[in-house]
Structure formats: C-alpha cells, structure tokens
Amino acid sequence: MISPETPPSLSESVPPVVVSFYEKHKKIYIRDVRGWWNTWRWVLVWLTQIIFFGTPWLQWNDRQAVLFHLAERKFYLFGLVLWPQDVFYLALLLIISAYALFLFTAIAGRLFCGYACPQTVYSEIFMWVENRVEGDRASRMKLDKAKITFRKFRLKALKHFVWIALSLWTGFTLVAYFTPVAELLNALPFGLSGWELFWMLFYAGFCYMQAGFLREQVCKYMCPYARFQGVMFDPDTLVITYDAARGDPRGARKKNVDKSLQLGDCVDCGLCVVVCPTGIDIRKGIQYECIGCGACIDACDPVMEKIGAPRGLIRYTTENALARHFSPADIAKHILRPRIMVYTAILVAITLASVVSLAVRVPLKVDVIRDRSLLAREAEDGRIENVYNLKIMNTTEAAQRYALKVDGLGGAEIVGEPSVSVGSAENHEITVVVRVPPDVGNKGANSIFFDIKAFDHDHISVREKATFLMP
Amino acid sequence: MSDFVSDFWNLYVVVIVTGSILACVALLIIQGKATFTPGKTMGHVWDETLEEYNNPMPRWWTWMFVITVIFAFVYLALYPGLGNFKGMLGWTAVGQHKAEVAKVDAAVKPLFDKYLAMDVKAVAADKQAMEMGKRLFLTYCMQCHGADARGAKGFPNLTDSDWLYGGEPEQIKQTIADGRMGVMPPHAQLGADTVKDLANFVRSLSGLPSDSVRAAKGKEAFASAGCLGCHGPEGKGMHAVGAPNLTDKVWLYGSSEATISETINNGRQNKMPAWKEFLGEAKVHLLSAYVFSLSQGAK
C-alpha cells in the first residue's frame, strides 16, 4: 500500500479523520527510462507482439497455421489438429503455465508482471506513443494542465487516434485466431458477422481502456495474479530492493564533497519514483504494487555512476542476501532450494509428458455406442446379433480407410463390409452388426473389443471395449 | 417461477430479491465513509513484516458497483425473476427454444421442400437425401427398429423384402405418417390341442420341422377357425390388415412351437406410432424414401 509521508513512528500523534472510502484516481505521469532492464522489456514486447500479430498470417497445408475453428470445433496448430476430446491438453497447458509462473516467481519475483504480461506490454506500447506525441513527463503534465488550445486538441486527437488504431488492430488480430484472416480481411468493415464485430470491438475497447487509461490500476485493483504472486516469495527470492543500509540517510550533495556529511548513497533525486509505472516509492521496501519491472534500477544506476558510487543501490537481490551480505555467487547458490527443485521437477515432468503424449497421439478416435433399445437379436441362422453405432473420428488431414475387427467372444464376426472410409478430419458414423454363435459367452453382458486399424498406417489403430448381450 | 399456489411465495421472492439489492446499495452508502488515521496500519501482520494500510479505493469502483445494481433492476424488469412477474420482454425458456427451432426449420426448409416435391423413388436415389434420411432414422426410428433397421422381436425388419403392410413407397409413407395398429386376436378358446396343431401347421408352411399328423389337423383348423380370414388361404398374409406371411422365414416374434402357440393363444398387439404431426410431411417423406431404399438390396 502507498504509505503516507509520515513515518509510522509519528502516526500515533495524528488524529483520525473520517474520509470517503473512495477517491478520484490520481493520474500517474511516468518518466521515460532507458537501461538494461527496459531493453529486456522491449525485447519481450517485440517478441510477444510479433508472435501475437504475426501468427494468424502463417499458412500450413493450404489453411491458416493456427486457427481455433469454433464452428467446426477443431483447433488447428500447425501440423496438429485438436478435437473437443483433446480438451485435456488445454488443462495440461494451463498446468504448465501455472508451474512456469510459480517457478519464475519463486526465483526472481514478478518477472511475468514486469516483462511479459499483456497489461505491461500494451501499456508500454501506448506510453511510447504518448511520449512521441505529447513529449516527456514534464510536457505531458503541462499539456494536461493547460487550457484547451488547437495545439492541445491536435496532440490529444493524434494520440487517441493512434491508440484506437492500435487497439482495433489488436482486436482484429484476436478475432483472426478464430476466423481465417483472409475471410476477415474480405469482410471488413461491414461484412463481419455480429459476433466477429462484437469481439473485435470488445477486445479493442478493453485494450484502449486498460493500456490507455487504467494502466497501473489493473495491477493494483483488478489483477488476481498480482495478489497471489507475493505468496510465492521466500527470503531467497530475487526482488527489486533499495539497499537501505547503503542509501540512508538520504540527501542531496554537491559533487566531490567528502563523505563526512554522514549521508548514504541515495541523493534523494526522486527519479526512481517518477519512472515507476505504479507510482510507488521503492525505497519504502517491497510493496504489493511493485510489478518488478526494473525501471527504478535503470533510473538509479546512472545517478550512482555520476556521484561515483557503485551501481546497484536499487538492485535485484534477496532478503537473505541483504541481511547476510551475500556475494552474487552466494545468491546463485541459494537458487537451488527444495521449493525450486520441486517446481522444476513438476514442470519438466508435465512438459515432457505433454510432448510425449502429443507425439505418440493416435490420430483416430472411436466411440462405440451400443443400440439402446435392442438387447439381443436372433439371426435367421440362429446366431445372436447385437447392433452398435461406431463414431469414427479421423483426426488426420487426409482421407483414411480403416479395417474393422471384433474379438473377445469365440466366433464373433462383423456382418457385412468390415472396412470404412472416412474423409479428412471427419466424423463418420457407421452401424455395425456383430454376430456370435448362440452358445458362447455368459447369459447377459460379455466384453468384446473392436479393433479399428488404418489400412496404410500401422500406428493408427484403436481398440475399444464394448458390451455384447447374450439372451 | 409463475406457478406459485399462494400469493405468499410470490411476495416472499419479491421481498427477498429487492431487499437484497437495496441492502447492497445501503452497504455502499454506509461503508462509503471510514475513520482513517493517516499512517496507521490495519493491524494485521502476515509473514512477520507484511502489513496493510487502509487506503481509499478509486472512485470508479463505486460506479462499477452502482452499475451492477442498475443492471440487476433492469434485468428484473425485462426478464422473469421477481416472483410471478413475467418480465417486460415476455421471455421464456420454452419460447426461446421454439424460436431457435423455428430458425433452424426455416433454414433447412428449402432443402426438405426440394425433396418433398420429388417422387419417393427419386429421393431414394439421391445420396445427400439418404444421408439426411439415415440421420433422421437414427434419431427417431432406431429405438424400435435398431440402428441397422433390422428390427427386433416384435419390431419388423425394414431391410428385407417382406412387408406387413406393403413395401411400395406410398404404403411405407402411409405407415410412417399415420401409424399402424397390428392386431392378432387371441384364440385360446380353440383349446390347447388345436393350438398345438395349428402351430405345427404354421411351422410346416415355412418348411420348419413339424409333427406331420398335427400339421394335417392344423391345416383343417386353419380353415375352420378362420385363420385364413387374415392370413389368406395359403397363409401368405394380407397387406390390408398387416397380417404376416406365414410361409416365409421371417418371424416377428419367433418360430418355435412354443412361441407360435403363445401367439395363437394370447394374440398380439403391435403398434407403429403416427409421425405426421410430430415430424411434419417433409421429414416423413424423406424417411419413407430412406426406408424404401433399405429394402431395395433385398429384392
């Protein structure tokens, strides 16, 4: 929480006041900052956005490479076609993402928040636009305070125009994951279906609102991850910390004044506060608003260089390292601790399991549905028949021919043609009659097995259990 | 929500719902002010050093809360939710279902109408129509006739060339549209002995092993007891009343002497439901064509 300016020790003497529980949001003006961590953030901005904006344009097998086709209920991912039955992989993906988040957070704090979260990434892009159009922090504050003039109107209009254009493109890109991008382009702007238009504008609207106006409030008041990532911290977690022992007492100083003033290294220039995207003062210790973006480090290091002090008054370090004066090597040694090993083990195991499972996945699914109404039937020759509907789902992108076999009861055989052709990525239903001699099996339910095997691919085969009723 | 017997429950729901929403508003107003000591924490401490201050929320949170309250009232005005009040839109789940069904029906109508205008035999030769027919069959018919349409005990096989009421397209269509009532009257009054004779005779008609003496007596009983009235003098059956042909190998209930005796003693009642009202002419037409096509391989 943003602590008031009075140190806690004095707070006892401050009389309580009755105030509104809600107050108008104070806009934060963030100063632009350059530096090592900011460069990394921009690397990730480019990386994530090239992937996000670029993916829908990729082609694969004469179709869009990544397409979540809701109407067909198929997810195309490059060479992979996932069906609704594969929703299991979505669960795995979420588990992998969750453990990756746990692991990164336990090692180095809110890395996701600071570098990869869409809220951070889009805010960063929008702020870049703001900086180019309206100028630096001081000019922006002046412009906001100024009366409306033609220049102010022109700058504001230009900024919002660029923001809205970016947002609309973002919304368009999102929809392009669900409707092929070529169709979308042709349909623009008035041929879009209601839902396409809705989601495009919905996503664009939220992008504009959250990256343009709400910014740090999303992290402070809305985001659940922001709240629970602190739980994963421990004393060996790397977090961005102001080294109070080295910095305090703070104070301005002239150059080449000796240290006899008993001042710490902090010159109280306030740069770390004005570059902070959530508007906090890192020197008050770790707070839940801190998204671990490293902007304050980038702001502080050049100042330290100027006054001839070592860099890293504000730096990535751990609670233990501060308390026990660890060297970087010691910090590295403390990374391997039980919690990290467990996270890593689980993450690696689940990732491997998912990859293996996807690699050996049989691109054929069969559901055997016994006729509900017919129990058993006597054929003309006295043998017993049961009827089944087989739903055969060919999840490859080529037409396949399958051979059907049945076993499990002596003399069981399929009546009629024991093979079936299914088109590419098609769900085909066939009715199969199984006939057995009248004297096999038990009265009542018996287990039989259907073997469905592709003619020209040995590895595509499925064995499904079913029930055969004897009268 | 509209079928409360007494008005009390209606009021009960109205009071609770509106009261809850108004309580939310009251909560917002009462909790809008707080005693706040600058710099003082709330007094909770976690993890040795983790503490919280009591800082104000941004004002737009309040507006979000107000919007949800307004939404609740607007929703309750438009949709059913307040006791017996039906809502201004008149929305019901049944109505929505009907509207959606009507939408689909309107979309597929041209397709069905195309086939309705065609002759059943022509429809039976149309590949797409037969795919549709199969899906309809698996939805409405397979419960009795089986997914492979080959019937079961008491339910006729539709894939052979043996028909109770005739296998011409118009007869099939009549069967599906208007249903059939197949009645074999009970003949227990003939006495157990005669029934056994008859059963042996009936078995002999289709070449099944039988007692030749009893079969000869059964032949006479067949005429005198009036069996031929429905099954015909040669036991070939009659489409007009749906009497089965007794000379072929097709048995609706079974061919053993015991089963045939049971049929003669107790009679049989069979019912094919009428589908015209439920499915409509177009689907019945398509199904007739599908059933007709099933029997074409058997000729």
Side-chain angles (χ1 to χ4, degrees), chain A residues 17 21 217 371 373 377 385, chain B residues 32 36 60 143 148 150-151:
Chain A
V17 283
F21 221 52
Q217 299 183 79
D371 250 27
S373 47
R377 182 166 69 199
E385 287 180 352
Chain B
F36 170 74
W60 53 259
Q143 285 76 353
D148 61 347
R150 284 169 47 193

Side-chain angles (χ1 to χ4, degrees), chain B:
Chain B
M1 289 297 286
S2 56
D3 304 330
F4 294 129
V5 180
S6 73
D7 211 36
F8 167 77
W9 292 112
N10 170 37
L11 284 172
Y12 176 84
V13 171
V14 171
V15 168
I16 287 185
V17 171
T18 46
S20 307
I21 299 172
L22 291 173
C24 289
V25 180
L27 187 76
L28 184 71
I29 294 166
I30 294 164
Q31 293 290 309
K33 291 260 186 287
T35 312
F36 170 74
T37 313
K40 199 162 186 290
T41 64
M42 299 289 283
H44 315 135
V45 181
W46 298 271
D47 279 4
E48 295 143 35
T49 55
L50 193 59
E51 295 184 275
E52 62 173 342
Y53 290 106
N54 187 5
N55 282 325
M57 297 263 276
R59 182 151 301 151
W60 53 259
W61 264 124
T62 327
W63 294 121
M64 299 268 280
F65 199 101
V66 171
I67 287 168
T68 58
V69 170
I70 293 168
F71 176 88
F73 280 121
V74 170
Y75 179 90
L76 288 172
L78 294 177
Y79 290 94
L82 269 184
N84 290 339
F85 181 58
K86 298 268 190 295
M88 280 147 62
L89 292 182
W91 180 93
T92 60
V94 174
Q96 182 177 351
H97 174 254
K98 279 192 177 140
E100 281 173 21
V101 169
K103 209 162 96 183
V104 174
D105 280 348
V108 296
K109 194 175 183 318
L111 192 58
F112 278 115
D113 283 352
K114 183 181 99 182
Y115 293 125
L116 189 54
M118 286 160 66
D119 177 58
V120 168
K121 285 183 178 172
V123 179
D126 183 303
K127 192 163 172 287
Q128 188 196 18
M130 287 306 91
E131 281 174 12
M132 290 162 68
K134 174 162 187 176
R135 277 196 282 275
L136 284 171
F137 188 90
L138 288 179
T139 308
Y140 299 110
C141 316
M142 65 94 80
Q143 285 76 353
C144 297
H145 294 282
D148 61 347
R150 284 169 47 193
K153 189 179 170 183
F155 301 102
N157 180 346
L158 307 177
T159 63
D160 58 17
S161 55
D162 178 57
W163 294 93
L164 291 170
Y165 293 91
E168 287 310 308
E170 48 280 4
Q171 293 163 322
I172 296 175
K173 194 167 170 177
Q174 196 195 335
T175 302
I176 299 174
D178 303 331
R180 298 285 187 187
M181 283 287 291
V183 179
M184 156 102 183
H187 290 83
Q189 76 280 7
L190 294 173
D193 218 34
T194 313
V195 169
K196 204 163 178 170
D197 294 343
L198 278 169
N200 274 286
F201 170 66
V202 169
R203 279 175 66 84
S204 73
L205 282 177
S206 50
L208 291 167
S210 59
D211 182 328
S212 56
V213 181
R214 279 190 177 276
K217 287 211 296 209
K219 187 175 172 140
E220 286 165 28
F222 191 76
S224 60
C227 307
L228 47 73
C230 294
H231 293 282
E234 292 168 3
K236 293 259 190 215
M238 198 196 306
H239 285 168
V241 293
N245 180 349
L246 306 175
T247 64
D248 58 14
K249 292 206 173 352
V250 179
W251 295 93
L252 198 51
Y253 287 95
S255 59
S256 72
E257 192 185 302
T259 308
I260 297 173
S261 300
E262 190 190 332
T263 305
I264 300 169
N265 271 324
N266 305 335
R268 296 285 183 188
Q269 291 249 0
N270 244 1
K271 190 178 171 109
M272 162 85 185
W275 291 94
K276 193 167 63 189
E277 284 299 303
F278 183 71
L279 288 180
E281 172 100 24
K283 284 181 181 167
V284 167
H285 191 77
L286 202 57
L287 277 167
S288 309
Y290 179 71
V291 172
F292 176 77
S293 77
L294 290 175
S295 63
Q296 292 314 290
K299 290 245 166 91

Side-chain angles (χ1 to χ4, degrees), chain A residues 19-260:
Chain A
V19 293
S20 167
F21 221 52
Y22 310 95
E23 66 174 9
K24 195 167 172 351
H25 166 242
K26 296 185 189 74
K27 187 168 171 183
I28 296 179
Y29 292 91
I30 302 152
R31 186 186 160 125
D32 210 11
V33 64
R34 303 280 160 87
W36 170 254
W37 302 109
N38 198 52
T39 308
W40 270 111
R41 185 163 24 266
W42 274 101
V43 167
L44 273 144
V45 168
W46 278 104
L47 188 72
T48 52
Q49 296 318 292
I50 284 170
I51 292 172
F52 175 72
F53 284 106
T55 305
W57 300 93
L58 300 174
Q59 291 288 310
W60 187 280
N61 285 352
D62 300 329
R63 57 163 170 83
Q64 195 166 305
V66 174
L67 181 65
F68 306 123
H69 204 310
L70 297 179
E72 280 184 14
R73 278 173 293 190
K74 291 188 186 75
F75 282 11
Y76 298 100
L77 291 159
F78 298 96
L80 195 69
V81 184
L82 294 178
W83 287 48
Q85 288 86 344
D86 295 316
V87 73
F88 173 70
Y89 288 109
L90 178 66
L92 283 178
L93 180 68
L94 292 176
I95 293 171
I96 290 170
S97 307
Y99 272 96
L101 181 75
F102 297 168
L103 180 64
F104 290 139
T105 309
I107 292 176
R110 289 168 63 172
L111 287 180
F112 174 76
C113 296
Y115 300 94
C117 174
Q119 179 64 29
T120 298
V121 164
Y122 287 107
S123 296
E124 198 70 21
I125 295 169
F126 275 46
M127 285 191 294
W128 182 86
V129 172
E130 210 168 34
N131 265 303
R132 293 294 154 284
V133 175
E134 296 183 358
D136 62 15
R137 180 171 186 262
S139 341
R140 288 204 304 273
M141 290 168 97
K142 218 167 87 190
L143 189 70
D144 278 5
K145 281 207 185 75
K147 285 210 171 59
I148 185 83
T149 59
F150 177 69
R151 178 177 169 274
K152 178 171 176 173
F153 175 79
R154 187 173 55 84
L155 291 179
K156 289 279 174 196
L158 177 62
K159 177 180 84 172
H160 286 286
F161 173 78
V162 176
W163 278 4
I164 290 170
L166 270 173
S167 302
L168 283 174
W169 188 24
T170 311
F172 171 85
T173 305
L174 176 86
V175 177
Y177 279 87
F178 299 90
T179 304
V181 80
E183 278 177 43
L184 268 191
L185 277 181
N186 289 333
L188 278 178
F190 301 116
L192 292 172
S193 75
W195 280 117
E196 283 164 356
L197 192 67
F198 168 80
W199 282 115
M200 182 170 158
L201 294 179
F202 180 88
Y203 201 71
F206 266 87
C207 181
Y208 176 63
M209 187 171 76
Q210 297 196 167
F213 300 93
L214 288 172
R215 288 193 192 158
E216 83 289 346
Q217 299 183 79
V218 174
C219 314
K220 278 164 69 173
Y221 304 117
M222 300 182 200
C223 181
Y225 302 103
R227 299 297 179 122
F228 78 69
Q229 285 189 63
V231 175
M232 302 165 211
F233 288 17
D234 59 32
D236 287 312
T237 300
L238 283 165
V239 286
I240 293 165
T241 315
Y242 164 74
D243 192 341
R246 200 187 114 183
D248 289 349
R250 306 165 199 170
R253 71 211 60 189
K254 291 200 173 68
K255 255 193 173 170
N256 57 47
V257 170
D258 61 359
K259 293 269 165 70
S260 57

Side-chain angles (χ1 to χ4, degrees), chain A residues 225-389:
Chain A
Y225 302 103
R227 299 297 179 122
F228 78 69
Q229 285 189 63
V231 175
M232 302 165 211
F233 288 17
D234 59 32
D236 287 312
T237 300
L238 283 165
V239 286
I240 293 165
T241 315
Y242 164 74
D243 192 341
R246 200 187 114 183
D248 289 349
R250 306 165 199 170
R253 71 211 60 189
K254 291 200 173 68
K255 255 193 173 170
N256 57 47
V257 170
D258 61 359
K259 293 269 165 70
S260 57
L261 280 165
Q262 302 300 312
L263 285 175
D265 281 347
C266 175
V267 296
D268 216 1
C269 65
L271 274 181
C272 57
V273 179
V274 294
V275 299
C276 176
T278 59
I280 56 170
D281 185 345
I282 191 68
R283 294 171 301 177
K284 289 176 181 158
I286 191 156
Q287 296 143 69
Y288 91 94
E289 293 95 332
C290 171
I291 58 168
C293 68
C296 47
I297 305 179
D298 286 335
C300 188
D301 278 347
V303 176
M304 289 299 106
E305 278 184 357
K306 270 202 198 90
I307 66 161
R311 297 164 66 106
L313 174 63
I314 305 176
R315 65 181 181 274
Y316 267 106
T317 185
T318 70
E319 200 183 317
N320 276 342
L322 271 184
R324 302 196 236 151
H325 305 292
F326 283 175
S327 66
D330 289 333
I331 294 178
K333 249 186 250 158
H334 276 256
I335 287 178
L336 273 185
R337 49 195 191 270
R339 145 189 288 219
I340 302 294
M341 290 183 214
V342 171
Y343 284 159
T344 312
I346 294 176
L347 183 62
V348 169
I350 292 181
T351 311
L352 273 179
S354 311
V355 170
V356 169
S357 144
L358 273 175
V360 301
R361 200 172 73 110
V362 175
L364 164 67
K365 297 178 199 299
V366 178
D367 285 338
V368 178
I369 303 159
R370 223 186 137 273
D371 250 27
R372 291 167 297 201
S373 47
L374 303 175
L375 298 178
R377 182 166 69 199
E378 197 179 317
E380 285 172 22
D381 58 3
R383 288 192 289 172
I384 304 299
E385 287 180 352
N386 273 205
V387 181
Y388 302 86
N389 268 319

